[in-house]
Amino acid sequence: MSIVVGYIPTLEGRAALERAITEARTAQARLIVVNSSPGNAYTDPRFVQEEEAESLRKRLEESKIDYRILQPLRGHDAAEDVIQAAEEHQADLVVIGLRKRSAVGKLLLGSTAQRILLQAHCAVLAVKAE
């Protein structure tokens, strides 16, 4: 069994990570952490840089779960990378963080969370940051 979490270094990303760790521990599943960048990773604030990567690895080691961190740089968007990881690792669950959106933002199509919710071939757990 495996669980995929879409991770970016934000409150929403950290909330998703914590819930995914809990789910992986409960299910004794491997956790696949996906952090991707559609362009230049060095200028993308959503892409985990070295200091944040060390903190992420430390948190995962502390959790005592089996994990793998993926940081694809193929030029795909984050939704595509998370969905592809879920398919490749035959995930039973995908965990994503949700951010608050304005009324106008809710009308716009193409959000990462929306694409994952609609296109993933397994259960998706959407987590809000507190």
Side-chain angles (χ1 to χ4, degrees), residues 7 19 21 29-30 37 41 49 57 65 71 81 103 119 124:
Y7 178 76
R19 183 57 185 263
I21 289 171
R30 183 175 205 199
S37 174
Q49 302 299 323
R57 281 190 287 277
I65 59 171
Q71 288 189 294
D81 286 332
Q119 295 178 8
V124 178

Side-chain angles (χ1 to χ4, degrees), residues 82-98:
V82 169
I83 292 165
Q84 185 172 352
E87 290 173 359
E88 287 176 6
H89 295 275
Q90 299 175 346
D92 298 286
L93 178 67
V94 171
V95 181
I96 58 173
L98 292 181

